[in-house]
């Protein structure tokens, strides 16, 4: 353990960071050890990582000094933010800056910054095809991440910029799975038309990040986009039908309709899906499935993910006739 290089993982109890910690710990003969950074080291998830063998360290992303201390002696760091906790692009920007500065001060040799596209580079605020949100964003939760890339570059932090994809786990946790419509049929609802959406199992993001760290300096300064598969929503509906043993249709709606659904983040997600639809070529080209599999030989296809997880997708209760 003493001669292994430490990877400090922000968001260690979340989907991306947790996957990376587990990937490191599941490779006991590898060259790295995992330091899980969390606000609450006594949480159930943090304690589980400790039981698996991670070093668990407390730090608050809003406290730069605690971040600097948490990175002390680390070779690498995985930096990620979680917009959906606070819905604030400005807070996300500040968090990215704090992590970049802490990595710079700690002289970390390799950082992965989990980022996304700033869609304003393709669709300026003056473009009326998509509403502007919060006064200065098109897709707040992705624009803020992309705009924060410069902190790592400006500070000279040796960084790999990681572009992630739509989590298939959203079908389990965020009510994006099959719902019953007025016609009684099961359907998934997206404003994607017939365009492809890059998707990935959340656990595979951490495994791909581990592959990036194993490649070392080769990927510093590069942008790496990952995906498990790139499918149309109709293809996902067909796979869901086979996996759950019930017909699932694709309910195509307009972005305007999706934005009107009213759940927290509906406007943001409606804009995100519209961006993925309208700029399909750019989004898909930025994510290389083949290279993702090189980084993570265990990379799952959607069908493989469904084989392991379909039973976890909440489905509407069947109506029992008398």
């Amino acid at each position: 353990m003493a001669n292994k290089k430490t990877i400090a993982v922000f968001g260690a109890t979340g989907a991306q960071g947790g996957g990376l910690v587990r990937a490191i710990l599941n490779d006991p003969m590898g060259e790295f050890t995992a330091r899980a950074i969390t606000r609450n080291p006594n949480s159930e998830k943090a304690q589980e990582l400790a039981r698996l063998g991670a070093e668990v360290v407390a730090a608050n992303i809003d406290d730069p000094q605690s971040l600097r201390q948490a990175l002390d002696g680390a070779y690498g760091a995985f930096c990620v933010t979680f917009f959906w906790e606070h819905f604030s692009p400005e807070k996300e920007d500040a968090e990215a800056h704090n992590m970049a500065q802490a990595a710079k001060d700690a002289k970390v040799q390799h950082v992965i910054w989990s980022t996304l596209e700033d869609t304003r580079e393709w669709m300026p605020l003056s473009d009326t095809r998509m509403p502007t949100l919060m006064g200065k964003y098109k897709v707040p939760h992705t624009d803020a991440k992309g705009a924060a890339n410069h902190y790592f570059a400006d500070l000279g932090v040796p960084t790999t910029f990681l572009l992630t994809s739509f989590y298939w786990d959203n079908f389990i946790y965020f009510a994006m799975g099959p719902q019953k419509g007025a016609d009684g049929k099961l359907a998934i609802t997206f404003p994607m038309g017939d365009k492809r959406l890059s998707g990935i199992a959340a656990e595979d993001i951490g495994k791909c990040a581990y592959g990036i760290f194993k490649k070392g300096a080769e990927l510093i300064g590069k942008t790496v986009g990952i995906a498990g598969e790139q499918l149309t929503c109709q293809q996902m509906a067909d796979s869901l039908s086979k996996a759950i043993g019930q017909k699932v249709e694709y309910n195509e709606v307009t972005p305007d309709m999706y934005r009107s659904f009213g759940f927290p983040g509906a406007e943001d997600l409606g804009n995100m899906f519209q961006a993925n639809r309208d700029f399909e070529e750019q989004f898909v080209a930025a994510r290389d499935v083949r290279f993702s599999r090189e980084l993570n030989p265990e990379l799952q296809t959607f069908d493989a993910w469904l084989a392991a997880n379909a039973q976890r997708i909440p489905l509407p209760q069947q109506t029992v006739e008398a």
Side-chain angles (χ1 to χ4, degrees):
M1 183 75 76
N3 61 353
K4 289 195 174 188
K5 294 184 285 191
T6 297
I7 303 296
V9 182
F10 291 104
T13 59
Q16 295 187 33
L20 173 56
V21 171
R22 287 184 288 273
I24 295 170
L25 298 177
N26 287 335
D27 185 17
M29 303 305 292
E31 62 181 309
F32 300 109
T33 187
R35 178 182 297 166
I37 301 175
T38 177
R39 283 176 301 183
N40 182 9
N42 296 316
S43 71
E44 182 177 339
K45 288 183 177 180
Q47 288 299 300
E48 176 59 25
L49 294 177
R51 284 191 291 272
L52 292 174
E55 174 193 7
V56 177
V57 172
N60 189 325
I61 200 166
D62 299 318
D63 178 0
Q65 182 59 31
S66 74
L67 298 187
R68 169 63 183 83
Q69 292 171 349
L71 293 179
D72 188 43
Y75 159 82
F78 180 80
C79 297
V80 64
T81 55
F82 187 56
F83 175 88
W84 306 110
E85 182 178 49
H86 46 69
F87 291 84
S88 170
E90 289 74 24
K91 182 173 175 59
E92 199 162 37
D93 181 85
E95 291 173 348
H97 178 260
N98 287 347
M99 288 187 290
Q101 187 64 59
K104 171 72 171 179
D105 293 343
K107 297 181 173 58
V108 174
Q109 296 179 53
H110 190 179
V111 167
I112 295 176
W113 162 231
S114 180
T115 186
L116 287 166
E117 285 90 347
D118 184 344
T119 61
R120 295 168 297 181
E121 295 179 5
W122 302 323
M123 186 173 287
L125 298 183
S126 59
D127 194 318
T128 58
R129 287 177 296 168
M130 181 187 294
T132 294
L133 305 179
M134 300 183 182
K136 54 182 179 181
Y137 302 98
K138 288 300 187 182
V139 185
H141 84 277
T142 73
D143 294 352
K145 290 182 177 69
N149 290 354
H150 78 92
Y151 291 126
F152 296 88
D154 293 350
L155 289 168
V157 178
T159 304
T160 301
F161 299 89
L162 178 64
L163 294 173
T164 58
S165 293
F166 174 80
Y167 295 6
W168 293 326
D169 307 66
N170 289 333
F171 288 120
I172 301 172
Y173 299 112
F174 292 102
M176 291 186 182
Q179 305 295 322
K180 190 172 291 186
D183 58 3
K185 297 179 179 179
L186 289 178
I188 54 172
T189 299
F190 293 100
M192 283 289 298
D194 61 356
K195 304 302 184 182
R196 292 168 294 166
L197 179 65
S198 297
I200 195 168
E203 191 75 5
D204 281 336
I205 296 175
K207 291 180 178 180
C208 287
Y210 183 45
I212 290 171
F213 279 123
K214 288 195 291 185
K215 282 188 175 289
E218 176 183 339
L219 294 177
I220 288 175
K222 304 289 181 60
T223 296
V224 176
I226 58 173
E229 209 165 5
Q230 293 161 324
L231 303 170
T232 66
C233 292
Q234 184 60 60
Q235 288 174 316
M236 288 193 286
D238 293 342
S239 288
L240 281 161
S241 299
K242 295 175 185 175
I244 69 173
Q246 300 181 57
K247 176 65 176 176
V248 177
E249 299 187 344
Y250 167 37
N251 178 33
E252 179 187 344
V253 297
T254 65
D256 276 341
M257 182 175 289
Y258 197 94
R259 285 187 282 267
S260 74
F261 285 163
F263 61 84
E267 290 183 308
D268 190 321
L269 290 175
N271 280 11
M272 180 196 75
F273 287 123
Q274 183 178 346
N276 274 269
R277 182 196 72 178
D278 294 352
F279 300 97
E280 176 203 27
E281 183 177 343
Q282 291 93 323
F283 276 97
V284 168
R287 290 155 175 83
D288 187 334
V289 175
R290 181 199 60 77
F291 188 62
S292 301
R293 183 161 286 109
E294 180 181 325
L295 293 171
N296 168 26
E298 298 175 348
L299 186 74
Q300 299 170 80
T301 63
F302 186 48
D303 285 339
W305 180 85
L306 283 171
N309 293 282
Q311 73 282 0
R312 301 171 61 207
I313 298 175
L315 297 174
Q317 293 295 316
Q318 295 284 346
T319 301
V320 179
E321 297 183 1

